[in-house]
Amino acid sequence: TGPFTVLGQKIVLKSAAYCPPEETSGAHVVYYRSIDASGNVEDTKSISLFHDDESPVSSVKIRWLSLPSGEAGQTFIKDNLTYLGAGAVIELEAKDDVGADTTQYRLDGGAWVNFASGFAITGEGKHVLDYKSKDRLGNEETAKTTQMVVDTTVPASSISVGQPKRDIAGDTAISGKTLLTIAASDTALLSSGVGKIEYRIDNGAMLPYTGQFNLDTGVTDGAHAITYRSVDNVGNTESEKSLQIRLD
């Protein structure tokens, strides 16, 4: 005999006193009967078995909590590293024919912990996540490893004003031909990099910044506000900044 479990009406076993040598993991039907010394033959009986010597297969899934900025968090891959931003929750799941019994993980070489629910990896920089599962028959998976980088640092942007321009009473006066340039950098320990820059004029909709622009079309003379921000590749979003200008 050997370890086994019962799933509904099906007996699932890891090993047994009798197991056909050429049978592989999977569903099988064993037929049996007995014959007494007088030759009386019992009606044939059968039993359905599921032979399982395969270990579970675990995988990592990432879900995202809502970010205050309204930006959707996202996974970013760079140099074979998975970058995570604020709001990332790690989920582990295991697939197995007879069902996983336990899934465990450890961070940065620490103690193994039973996975119960999603968890966050904290601490800016690179982390090593090991994980493995064991099924209900004791088949244990070889531990897997993935490297992740936590980046919760928001990028920083700045705007520069070309010529012609003049400072008048604390405002920057420009013409419709003056070029405005927005630049951004991401200074995290291991940064995911700047994903996008956005800007708007007065109360208009945010526009994607694709390069230098001016206000020679559709903007009237007078005071205006140029609002801008940057977002990195994992959704960390800079607080909006604003430049007051006077168009003449």
Side-chain angles (χ1 to χ4, degrees):
T1 61
F4 66 90
T5 186
V6 178
L7 299 180
Q9 300 300 312
K10 182 183 293 183
I11 295 179
V12 182
L13 71 159
K14 180 177 175 67
S15 61
Y18 171 76
C19 186
E22 296 183 0
E23 296 295 335
T24 58
S25 292
H28 303 284
V29 179
V30 176
Y31 298 92
Y32 61 97
R33 66 182 182 181
S34 59
I35 304 173
D36 67 16
S38 300
N40 297 308
V41 180
E42 178 187 20
D43 290 340
T44 300
K45 298 177 181 178
S46 67
I47 186 171
S48 295
L49 304 175
F50 193 96
H51 180 210
D52 179 25
D53 281 328
E54 302 293 329
S55 59
V57 178
S58 302
S59 59
V60 176
K61 304 293 182 183
I62 300 171
R63 63 180 174 87
W64 297 88
L65 301 177
S66 298
L67 301 178
S69 66
E71 287 289 324
Q74 57 188 9
T75 304
F76 181 70
I77 307 296
K78 183 174 73 172
D79 299 330
N80 294 319
L81 294 173
T82 300
Y83 283 73
L84 307 175
V89 177
I90 308 299
E91 301 278 1
L92 299 176
E93 62 179 37
K95 295 182 178 180
D96 187 79
D97 288 331
V98 301
D101 183 37
T102 58
T103 297
Q104 295 183 310
Y105 70 94
R106 67 180 178 185
L107 283 172
D108 301 323
W112 286 97
V113 178
N114 285 337
F115 173 75
S117 60
F119 60 93
I121 299 178
T122 59
E124 199 88 355
K126 185 187 296 185
H127 298 273
V128 177
L129 174 66
D130 302 313
Y131 56 101
K132 61 183 179 179
S133 294
K134 182 170 63 175
D135 71 13
R136 297 168 65 177
L137 295 174
N139 298 310
E140 187 167 347
E141 177 184 28
T142 301
K144 296 177 178 178
T145 299
T146 186
Q147 296 188 66
M148 298 183 173
V149 176
V150 174
D151 174 10
T152 57
T153 301
V154 298
S157 61
S158 60
I159 191 168
S160 60
V161 182
Q163 297 293 338
K165 67 176 179 180
R166 289 190 63 185
D167 290 330
I168 301 176
D171 286 339
T172 300
I174 64 174
S175 79
K177 301 298 183 182
T178 303
L179 291 176
L180 303 172
T181 304
I182 306 175
S185 61
D186 191 354
T187 59
L189 180 64
L190 284 172
S191 73
S192 60
V194 177
K196 64 180 178 180
I197 300 172
E198 300 174 314
Y199 73 98
R200 69 168 175 258
I201 302 170
D202 297 327
N203 294 320
M206 277 290 188
L207 302 172
Y209 175 78
T210 57
Q212 293 177 315
F213 63 97
N214 57 34
L215 306 182
D216 65 343
T217 303
V219 182
T220 60
D221 284 358
H224 298 280
I226 309 298
T227 302
Y228 57 98
R229 68 178 185 181
S230 57
V231 182
D232 70 12
N233 282 306
V234 291
N236 296 312
T237 303
E238 175 187 25
S239 297
E240 293 181 354
K241 299 176 179 177
S242 186
L243 171 69
Q244 302 298 316
I245 57 96
R246 183 172 294 279
L247 182 63
D248 184 8

